[in-house]
Amino acid sequence: MRTERIIITEDQKKQRLDKIIPTLFPEWSRTQVQDWIKEGHIVVNDAVVKANYKVSEDDVVIITEPEAVPLDVVAEDLNLDIVYEDEHIAVVNKPRGMVVHPSAGHYSGTLVNGLMYAIHDLSGINGVLRPGIVHRLDKDTSGLLVVAKHDEAHVNLVNQLVERTVKRQYVALVHGHIPHPKGTIEAPIGRDTRDRQKMTVIGTGKEATTHFTVLEQIGGKYTLVQCELVTGRTHQIRVHMQYIGYPLVGDPKYGQKKTLDFGGQVLHAQTLGLTHPMTGEYMEWTAPLPADYEQLLTELRES
């Protein structure tokens, strides 16, 4: 169970409790924090307060993150595309439109439901809702991710992500003509203070770095780029490409109002490279672009 202790500083005083916590911990939404305050999981000076409580200097805020309510994750035959598997790890090519793990509104049809059917032993580190899940992809991002079959492999893979030794290359279609053959975006990413459902480039955010290489210019209106993650912030590629003025095609959250109807961002996790957690061997996999992605590119080239 995760517990955080905050001592309010002078420059933080007079802010609402339910606003300051998500600012300090962007992984928690304001709605989530408000619920925890009501349930007594967040206290100030050992006392239960209301969400609109305005903090004072030297207030001691204790946050005890409640454990996820255990759910029965039903195994489902989802015909997963498992590109590699041994007794320690598996690498899956996730289709676009599939949620990685169960959550409110998505208790079936997720990658975890499929993994429970296809792979019987998975790491238990992330609990019953996220067995074996080391990292994730957005619902409408297709491509490769690695799954751990036991806790030792899981810890090793997480450490590789922390140490930034995992190779993660994506192919994205963006609006606009990028004039440079390659570039690096270094801009911190945090929760958008105006819209808690979005991330944005913000000075108080966490360090985030993305390398990009132009693969193809299409009709002067679109650019196909390869993006390589150095860090792994939420929605990193989508936020960074929007930040430099080239938002992803089809992106409902960060894209242009007038974009192509693709049912989501045109983004594919094409290449994954890592050191095998048990053998120490470097391994790398590549997943071809999905058929609908290729079809879209063909149509744009011919238009």
Side-chain angles (χ1 to χ4, degrees):
M1 180 182 296
R2 177 181 175 185
T3 300
E4 298 287 350
R5 183 175 184 268
I6 308 164
I7 299 178
I8 300 301
T9 59
E10 183 180 3
D11 62 335
Q12 294 171 332
K13 67 184 181 182
K14 296 184 179 180
Q15 296 186 54
R16 284 177 56 127
L17 182 63
D18 63 345
K19 285 187 177 181
I20 193 170
I21 292 175
T23 301
L24 296 171
F25 302 95
E27 65 271 28
W28 294 331
S29 71
R30 186 176 177 186
T31 300
Q32 194 173 29
V33 166
Q34 288 172 339
D35 289 340
W36 292 353
I37 294 171
K38 290 178 185 177
E39 295 164 2
H41 297 296
I42 299 175
V43 295
V44 180
N45 303 324
D46 294 324
V48 176
V49 296
K50 293 185 178 180
N52 63 358
Y53 173 84
K54 292 187 177 180
V55 297
S56 300
E57 185 178 358
D58 295 327
D59 272 352
V60 178
V61 182
I62 304 294
I63 308 164
T64 304
E65 182 180 18
E67 294 183 0
V69 178
L71 295 175
D72 291 327
V73 181
V74 178
E76 300 177 55
D77 184 2
L78 301 178
N79 194 29
L80 294 181
D81 180 10
I82 299 176
V83 301
Y84 175 82
E85 182 179 6
D86 60 26
E87 64 267 41
H88 308 291
I89 64 173
V91 176
V92 183
N93 182 18
K94 185 187 83 70
R96 186 168 64 87
M98 177 180 281
V99 174
V100 169
H101 55 76
S103 61
H106 296 284
Y107 291 116
S108 66
T110 73
L111 179 68
V112 166
N113 294 107
L115 289 172
M116 296 291 285
Y117 180 90
I119 302 174
H120 299 296
D121 15 327
L122 293 165
S123 165
I125 282 180
N126 280 345
V128 296
L129 296 184
R130 305 181 186 187
I133 300 301
V134 176
H135 61 123
R136 51 165 291 183
L137 297 175
D138 294 334
K139 173 177 176 284
D140 292 320
T141 299
S142 58
L144 298 171
L145 51 77
V146 63
V147 174
K149 287 193 169 188
H150 53 77
D151 291 359
E152 185 178 356
H154 193 129
V155 170
N156 183 285
L157 292 169
V158 168
N159 286 337
Q160 289 187 50
L161 288 166
V162 170
E163 293 166 4
R164 303 176 183 177
T165 59
V166 177
K167 181 177 181 179
R168 289 173 290 171
Q169 292 181 337
Y170 294 67
V171 177
L173 182 67
V174 302
H175 285 280
H177 179 98
I178 300 179
H180 314 291
K182 59 179 57 181
T184 296
I185 308 165
E186 294 181 315
I189 292 176
R191 187 77 59 181
D192 191 326
T193 56
R194 294 169 297 179
D195 184 348
R196 305 304 301 174
Q197 301 301 312
K198 296 175 68 174
M199 307 300 287
T200 190
V201 170
I202 187 170
T204 56
K206 295 181 179 179
E207 172 196 4
T209 302
T210 306
H211 300 306
F212 70 86
T213 302
V214 171
L215 299 176
E216 181 183 356
Q217 303 286 359
I218 303 177
K221 296 171 63 178
Y222 307 99
T223 304
L224 191 67
V225 293
Q226 179 189 82
C227 295
E228 183 163 354
L229 294 179
V230 176
T231 54
R233 308 305 176 203
T234 301
H235 300 167
Q236 180 170 315
I237 291 172
R238 300 162 67 185
V239 171
H240 269 174
M241 296 310 295
Q242 178 206 38
Y243 178 67
I244 65 170
Y246 303 99
L248 268 64
V249 169
D251 193 332
K253 193 178 292 286
Y254 303 100
Q256 297 179 352
K257 289 185 178 179
K258 293 184 178 180
T259 187
L260 301 179
D261 183 11
F262 190 65
Q265 64 274 0
V266 187
L267 182 63
H268 177 66
Q270 185 178 55
T271 301
L272 176 66
L274 52 84
T275 300
H276 192 284
M278 309 311 293
T279 68
E281 175 190 3
Y282 177 77
M283 307 181 77
E284 186 172 302
W285 303 268
T286 300
L289 295 181
D292 56 352
Y293 197 151
E294 288 282 18
Q295 181 180 350
L296 174 63
L297 294 178
T298 299
E299 292 173 354
L300 292 177
R301 290 171 184 137
E302 295 175 349
S303 63

